[in-house]
Amino acid sequence: MAVDRYRPPARSGLRFLSLKWKVLLMLGGVLLSVNSALSWLHFQDLTSRFELQRAATRERLMAQAFALRSEFGQRLQALAGMLAALDDLRSGLTQNEGTNLLVLQHFDSYWSALQLDFGIDSMQVYARSGQPLADWRNSSFAEVDLDAHVRTVIAHERAMHWTRCGSLCTQFAAAPILAQGRVAGAVVLGSSLADVVVSFNRLSGADLGVLTRMSQTTDKNALPRLGLRVVGLSRAERNLPLLEELATLPTVPAGGSSWRLVAHDSSQFEVSFLSLDAPDVAPSPALLVIIDDVTDALANIRKSVWNRLQGEFLASVLALLLLALLVNAPLQRMTRAVRAIPLLGRSAFAEARARIIPRGRRFVDDEIDSLDEAAIALSYRLETLEREVEAHSADMQGMLQRISIERDFSRSLLDTAQVIILTQHADGRIVTLNRYGRLLSGWQEDDLPGKRFFELVCPEGSAGTVIHQALQRIAAGDRQHVQLESILIGTNGRSYEITWNHSRLSGRPGEPVMILSVGIDHTERKRAELHVSYLAEHDPLTGLANRQHFQHELDQALVNARLTGLDGALLYLDLDGFKYVNDLSGHQAGDSLLRIVATEVSHVARASDLLGRLGGDELGVLLHECDREGAVQVAEKINQRLAEIRFAGLGAKHRVSASIGIVVFSGARMDVKQLLANADIAMYQAKSKGGAGWHLYSEGEGVQEKMQSRLYWEEAINRALSENRLIVHYQPILDIHARQVSHYEALVRIQGSDGSLILPGAFMEVAENSGLIREIDRQVIRLVGRRMHALSAVGRHFKFSINLSGLSINDPRLLAFIRDEFTRNPLLLANVVFEITETAAVSDFPAARSFIHAVRELGCAFSLDDFGVGFSSFNYIKQLPIDYVKIDGSFVRTLVDSPDDQVFVRALAEVARGFGKKTVAEFVEDERTLNMLRTFGVDYAQGYHIGKPRPNVD
């Protein structure tokens, strides 16, 4: 496509700057920064090396200074020792210790030589007692107290040297005078440190001086600003003015040193101050000062850095000039393309393509050629996209609207969640409260400031203290999560039962502690629990009292009869031919018939009487304050009403009737089991007469037969135990959600002498009444333990559930027995689940709880069996430390067709799950029941549909 050559107009304006100059300026700035940084690093390196060198030099100079002083002291000490060894001196002291004349005569001839040749300023001779005998000194040398050092030399018989500074600094040396094997006195020599100063300058090239405390300001060597005076100083004409310029003295620790860099007369000097170890001088010791000229070294560093800066600057200028020549032409080409690009934003695509001028002849392509081609291609693409954007704008608007709707939905979902969510401080002050919380409490958002959590809940009893302590523990970090229950009282007076989950919100250190509290309203669940508690005391099919509740009321009736002396009666009903109704018409027809029978019997009974379902087709009627005649009349009326029943599931000739056993009780001593047994005997007596009648129990009736039966089974049990004919069958228990067998329940049987199997229903009651159940429990534990050891030996591991009787939980030796049985492999205890019935656990609650704790400490799990037919309080699930809850089969067998059973099972599964317990359903006989249990959240299933008991484990 032909294009016209385009010449861009000149740009005007102070704010425009060409890219070329930007690149050059930026690169120049970078080069300048880099070079400056490199020069600075070079300077730092030289400075660091200089400082390291100076530190080594300072150490060397200080060592030389102290070495010279020490060497000077040792020479002086050696000279004192030579004088002390002269025979004239020793003979003079031994002849007469109190006479100084002889000593003066001997040493007068040496004094001049010591002054001139050795530079000695003072000499003293001391007697053994420490008294001075003779003293020689220069006229300018002040008298100094040397008694303490002299006594030390005489006492230790050892020469020593030391430095003493006053108006002058003098090096002293003392040597003991030995005569006839003992100390006769001491010689003390003193010399000025001037020789040390001179020698130091000659040896090191640096200057050395000695500073002492200033005594008068008129002294020409005084340093009044420092409070010191110069005793000795090499090259004093230069160094004394330098010291006079010092305004302060750096801190010099005792026995230590410090230094300072001082500028003087266009030169740099390093001045080091050393503490002169003169411990006997107080309050201010003398100082050694070392002055070293570092002017040349610092000048060399500055010169090296300046030369480097100059070289790098010249190199940077040359690099920038070369770069400017290289980028000038390409930048001109790029400028043309860049100036055409804004036209694309104004949709002037054809004009933009006309202004871009690609190179016609080129040897190789570069980035600018690519830019030109890309700009032309972009113009065509943008032209196409502009048309597409118009088509998609409507779609985008719709999408934005949908996003807005989804955002509003998310906000609404969070604010409408049926959960109370609040945040609070550690002291209970509420910070935020969501909409649901405000709805229940009746508070508005403006009411929250100043409100406290304890105003929101209504603690019961000591719960308020418990809540406060729990929140304090969370705030202190002792607990991360706490779950509590409380009552929330709204402003309208309505109460809600709330389960609170409190946890600590993580924050940064120093921030106030915040607690997140999430409350779940379980008021409706509590009401369901009350309903379930009702179902636990009543038969779900007929609405009558269940067996456990009936037995409880019967026991109370026996107590009242003994207290009042009034008679009562028990009627035990068994429907005649009920089995044929189930077989011919099905279980649903049988259930309907039972409900009709229950209704008819309730019409006969008085309002004060109690009706209960004691078994499948067995009913009980408790008649308060009723004698024999009255009980018989009630029994006859019941059969009359039953005979009038017309039920579609029955044949035309079939009449509903019942065999009724009657037992009258009064103040006689009789327990519930005995009363029911007597009623059962009377019922069978009525049934043996053809049914549809009643039989009144008389004292002693059936006792002989019962005793014979009990003796027979006691003997059979003992014989089976002694002959090892107790065997165990294993029934699988299915994990409903995993759809695989989780563990097995061990079920005991007696193998008869003829090889037949005797089920526990035939002998278990006698075993429990006779106490033989303890030995049976032990034998079952022993057999299961052997089976587990055998399976473990071949690498197979299964979990087994073992039933225990109520008597065994009170056996103090059972725990030791369990531990001994698993001694070979204690780890197997983790695969054992012990079961006790709900009735056994509740009948002795403290013992059961203690026993379960002890078993769990061994590593075993625990299960509460037959839940629902006993006392059936969900509080027991919470209080007992169990792992599994077994739902009684009476609620599972008719689960599919019984709404009441469904309510109970669903509620029990939810409550158990809330307490962290697993649920097991017994008597699962078909797939429909299993599927319903799965939807209710039941964890495990057991029954013939899962598998029958077998002697081996798959």
Side-chain angles (χ1 to χ4, degrees):
M1 181 177 62
V3 295
D4 297 333
R5 181 170 298 276
Y6 171 72
R7 178 176 297 175
R11 293 287 302 269
S12 61
L14 298 177
R15 299 186 63 183
F16 176 77
L17 185 62
S18 171
L19 180 61
K20 177 179 67 176
W21 292 110
K22 288 180 182 179
V23 171
L24 293 176
L25 289 176
M26 183 175 65
L27 186 59
V30 171
L31 290 175
L32 182 60
S33 300
V34 171
N35 292 334
S36 300
L38 292 175
S39 299
W40 181 81
L41 291 175
H42 179 62
F43 173 74
Q44 291 296 320
D45 180 61
L46 294 177
T47 304
S48 176
R49 293 181 182 182
F50 172 74
E51 291 177 353
L52 291 175
Q53 180 183 4
R54 289 310 308 166
T57 302
R58 283 195 300 275
E59 293 294 331
R60 177 177 57 80
L61 292 177
M62 288 188 289
Q64 288 177 349
F66 282 114
L68 283 174
R69 190 196 67 166
S70 177
E71 181 183 358
F72 181 69
Q74 290 175 357
R75 290 202 308 269
L76 196 64
Q77 179 178 315
L79 182 60
M82 293 174 58
L83 293 176
L86 294 176
D87 293 337
D88 294 341
L89 180 60
R90 288 186 294 176
S91 61
L93 292 175
T94 55
Q95 289 177 6
N96 186 356
E97 187 175 348
T99 305
N100 301 341
L101 182 60
L102 185 60
V103 175
L104 291 173
Q105 292 175 353
H106 285 313
F107 276 91
D108 277 340
S109 60
Y110 297 118
W111 172 242
S112 299
L114 292 173
Q115 280 183 300
L116 296 176
D117 297 337
F118 296 100
I120 303 301
D121 294 324
S122 69
M123 180 174 67
Q124 292 85 24
V125 178
Y126 289 84
R128 180 181 180 183
S129 61
Q131 296 296 323
L133 299 179
D135 185 3
W136 295 267
R137 69 181 70 239
N138 291 335
S139 58
S140 62
F141 196 83
E143 183 176 355
V144 180
D145 184 11
L146 304 175
D147 292 347
H149 292 86
V150 171
R151 285 193 295 270
T152 300
V153 170
I154 295 174
H156 292 86
E157 300 182 8
R158 184 179 63 189
M160 64 182 293
H161 63 87
W162 68 93
T163 302
R164 183 68 177 266
C165 290
S167 59
L168 296 174
C169 275
T170 305
Q171 182 74 25
F172 289 97
I177 302 173
L178 301 177
Q180 298 178 359
R182 65 188 183 91
V183 178
V187 175
V188 179
L189 299 179
S191 178
S192 170
L193 291 178
D195 290 344
V196 175
V197 172
V198 174
S199 298
F200 182 81
N201 177 258
R202 185 172 62 252
L203 179 65
S204 64
D207 295 315
L208 180 68
V210 181
L211 307 180
T212 62
R213 189 172 51 187
M214 182 178 66
S215 58
Q216 55 185 356
T217 58
T218 58
D219 193 339
K220 67 177 181 177
N221 292 332
L223 303 175
R225 301 173 70 179
L226 301 179
L228 300 174
R229 66 183 296 272
V230 179
V231 176
L233 182 64
S234 59
R235 287 197 279 187
E237 67 280 359
R238 184 197 71 182
N239 294 328
L240 185 59
L242 185 149
L243 293 176
E244 290 175 346
E245 290 183 5
L246 294 177
T248 59
L249 187 69
T251 302
V252 182
S257 63
S258 63
W259 64 279
R260 176 177 292 178
L261 197 64
V262 179
H264 174 68
D265 196 17
S266 302
S267 299
Q268 298 287 330
F269 297 91
E270 185 181 82
V271 182
S272 301
F273 298 92
L274 290 74
S275 175
L276 195 61
D277 51 343
D280 61 326
V281 179
S284 175
L287 297 175
L288 288 179
V289 57
I290 299 174
I291 303 173
D292 196 9
D293 190 354
V294 295
T295 304
D296 293 340
L298 293 176
N300 290 334
I301 291 175
R302 289 191 292 272
K303 182 179 180 180
S304 175
V305 173
W306 176 246
N307 291 338
R308 184 184 181 97
L309 276 174
Q310 288 178 331
E312 290 174 346
F313 178 76
L314 291 176
S316 299
V317 171
L318 291 176
L320 291 174
L321 291 176
L322 180 61
L323 180 63
L325 293 176
L326 291 175
V327 302
N328 183 56
L331 286 177
Q332 289 294 332
R333 293 163 47 210
M334 185 176 67
T335 301
R336 290 194 298 270
V338 169
R339 289 178 176 175
I341 289 176
L343 298 175
L344 301 178
R346 298 196 295 269
S347 300
F349 304 112
E351 184 181 356
R353 289 191 290 269
R355 292 189 179 186
I356 298 174
I357 309 175
R359 287 190 300 168
R361 301 174 61 183
R362 49 196 178 190
F363 182 69
V364 291
D365 289 346
D366 56 22
E367 290 83 355
I368 300 177
D369 294 323
S370 300
L371 177 63
D372 291 341
E373 295 174 356
I376 293 174
L378 179 63
S379 67
Y380 287 109
R381 180 59 179 162
L382 289 177
E383 192 172 5
T384 302
L385 288 176
E386 187 175 63
R387 292 193 294 267
E388 293 177 354
V389 165
E390 294 177 358
H392 290 299
S393 60
D395 295 340
M396 183 64 68
Q397 186 66 29
M399 184 182 297
L400 291 175
Q401 185 175 3
R402 289 194 298 273
I403 292 174
S404 177
I405 293 173
E406 291 177 359
R407 180 194 59 193
D408 294 340
F409 172 76
S410 299
R411 291 179 179 175
S412 176
L413 181 63
L414 288 176
D415 208 24
T416 56
Q418 300 299 300
V419 177
I420 303 174
I421 303 175
L422 64 85
T423 56
Q424 57 177 311
H425 292 288
D427 59 359
R429 287 182 291 113
I430 296 176
V431 180
T432 62
L433 181 64
N434 72 335
R435 179 181 175 278
Y436 188 70
R438 296 195 299 270
L439 178 64
L440 295 188
S441 64
W443 292 347
Q444 300 300 322
E445 193 166 357
D446 297 338
D447 300 332
L448 292 182
K451 294 290 186 180
R452 295 183 178 269
F453 180 68
F454 299 104
E455 300 178 30
L456 186 63
V457 297
C458 177
E460 293 182 346
S462 61
T465 304
V466 173
I467 293 174
H468 180 73
Q469 292 175 350
L471 294 182
Q472 290 302 316
R473 293 183 66 185
I474 291 177
D478 298 335
R479 295 281 300 274
Q480 293 297 322
H481 176 268
V482 172
Q483 185 180 77
L484 298 170
E485 293 186 0
S486 66
I487 305 298
L488 183 148
I489 304 297
T491 55
N492 58 0
R494 185 177 177 182
S495 63
Y496 304 90
E497 299 190 39
I498 307 296
T499 296
W500 293 97
N501 291 278
H502 304 284
S503 58
R504 176 174 176 150
L505 292 175
S506 58
R508 285 177 285 185
E511 293 183 348
V513 176
M514 298 292 292
I515 298 174
L516 173 65
S517 300
V518 178
I520 301 174
D521 180 12
H522 54 76
T523 306
E524 295 301 325
R525 195 196 76 186
K526 287 290 186 179
R527 292 172 183 170
E529 287 182 4
L530 293 177
H531 178 62
V532 171
S533 297
Y534 168 80
L535 293 178
E537 294 181 353
H538 294 77
D539 174 54
L541 178 62
T542 61
L544 304 179
N546 61 17
R547 184 180 184 90
Q548 185 64 39
H549 183 57
F550 189 85
Q551 288 179 349
H552 177 72
E553 293 297 323
L554 186 57
D555 185 61
Q556 294 297 320
L558 288 174
V559 174
N560 292 334
R562 284 195 289 269
L563 295 175
T564 62
L566 299 175
D567 292 341
L570 171 63
L571 274 61
Y572 199 102
L573 286 74
D574 183 86
L575 295 180
D576 299 326
F578 185 75
K579 179 178 182 299
Y580 300 104
V581 177
N582 283 332
D583 294 341
L584 295 176
S585 303
H587 288 286
Q588 291 185 354
D591 292 345
S592 298
L593 179 58
L594 281 176
R595 285 192 287 266
I596 294 173
V597 170
T599 302
E600 295 299 329
V601 174
S602 64
H603 291 162
V604 176
R606 299 169 299 180
S608 60
D609 299 332
L610 176 66
L611 277 70
R613 184 183 179 191
L614 305 182
D617 60 341
E618 299 170 350
L619 303 180
V621 181
L622 174 59
L623 304 175
H624 297 282
E625 300 180 9
C626 182
D627 55 12
R628 294 170 183 257
E629 290 76 12
V632 171
Q633 290 178 6
V634 172
E636 291 178 346
K637 289 181 180 179
I638 289 174
N639 265 326
Q640 290 174 6
R641 294 295 295 262
L642 296 182
E644 297 174 359
I645 294 175
R646 296 294 179 264
F647 184 64
L650 300 177
K653 296 182 180 181
H654 186 84
R655 295 178 58 190
V656 180
S657 63
S659 298
I660 304 174
I662 304 173
V663 180
V664 178
F665 57 87
S666 58
R669 292 291 176 181
M670 186 182 299
D671 59 17
V672 173
K673 289 185 178 180
Q674 183 180 357
L675 186 60
L676 288 172
N678 293 343
D680 187 60
I681 292 172
M683 182 271 295
Y684 277 108
Q685 290 292 333
K687 190 174 288 292
S688 66
K689 299 175 183 178
W694 54 268
H695 180 82
L696 181 62
Y697 178 83
S698 60
E699 194 67 31
E701 185 175 5
V703 174
Q704 186 67 28
E705 292 80 359
K706 291 174 60 179
M707 290 297 295
Q708 289 178 353
S709 176
R710 174 169 179 168
L711 291 174
Y712 168 78
W713 282 113
E714 284 186 12
E715 182 181 355
I717 294 171
N718 282 315
R719 192 163 53 249
L721 288 169
S722 62
E723 297 174 1
N724 292 325
R725 286 192 285 106
L726 247 65
I727 62 174
V728 176
H729 282 198
Y730 302 93
Q731 185 174 23
I733 298 176
L734 178 73
D735 186 327
I736 295 179
H737 303 287
R739 299 178 184 271
Q740 63 182 10
V741 174
S742 169
H743 54 289
Y744 294 85
E745 180 176 6
L747 303 173
V748 66
R749 277 95 169 95
I750 291 179
Q751 189 171 29
S753 57
D754 58 353
S756 62
L757 291 180
I758 303 174
L759 299 180
F763 60 85
M764 192 56 68
E765 182 178 359
V766 175
E768 290 182 349
N769 292 333
S770 63
L772 292 173
I773 189 64
R774 293 191 181 94
E775 189 57 36
I776 292 177
D777 286 349
R778 290 174 179 242
Q779 182 65 10
V780 172
I781 294 172
R782 187 179 294 113
L783 292 173
V784 175
R786 292 175 184 173
R787 176 59 60 91
M788 294 180 71
H789 284 301
L791 291 172
S792 177
V794 295
R796 302 179 67 191
H797 300 279
F798 297 98
K799 183 179 289 187
F800 293 93
S801 181
I802 302 174
N803 290 281
L804 295 178
S805 68
L807 295 177
S808 292
I809 65 175
N810 291 307
D811 186 352
R813 296 172 296 175
L814 181 61
L815 290 175
F817 174 80
I818 295 173
R819 192 181 297 108
D820 294 340
E821 283 299 316
F822 290 90
T823 302
R824 285 187 296 166
N825 192 351
L827 296 179
L828 293 179
L829 285 169
N831 289 329
V832 177
V833 181
F834 286 104
E835 294 186 14
I836 60 171
T837 64
E838 176 196 3
T839 305
V842 175
S843 61
D844 193 352
F845 189 83
R849 183 168 183 172
S850 175
F851 177 78
I852 294 174
H853 271 299
V855 170
R856 284 171 60 86
E857 288 178 359
L858 294 178
C860 304
F862 223 94
S863 176
L864 188 63
D865 197 7
D866 295 340
F867 188 84
V869 298
F871 294 88
S872 302
S873 172
F874 290 129
N875 187 50
Y876 299 141
I877 300 178
K878 178 180 179 181
Q879 297 297 328
L880 289 173
I882 56 176
D883 302 279
Y884 301 91
V885 179
K886 270 196 166 184
I887 307 171
D888 187 70
S890 62
F891 298 100
V892 180
R893 186 182 293 111
T894 59
L895 180 66
V896 176
D897 302 315
S898 175
D900 290 335
D901 289 344
Q902 294 173 15
V903 170
F904 178 82
V905 173
R906 186 195 298 271
L908 175 56
E910 292 180 357
V911 171
R913 190 183 311 112
F915 291 140
K917 321 294 185 183
K918 301 291 186 181
T919 48
V920 183
E922 300 178 308
F923 289 91
V924 178
E925 307 297 337
D926 52 50
E927 186 67 22
R928 291 196 305 160
T929 304
L930 181 63
N931 291 333
M932 184 169 288
L933 291 172
R934 182 180 293 110
T935 61
F936 288 172
V938 176
D939 301 291
Y940 302 96
Q942 179 182 3
Y944 279 10
H945 182 67
I946 309 302
K948 295 181 179 181
R950 288 173 291 182
N952 297 316
V953 178
D954 294 336

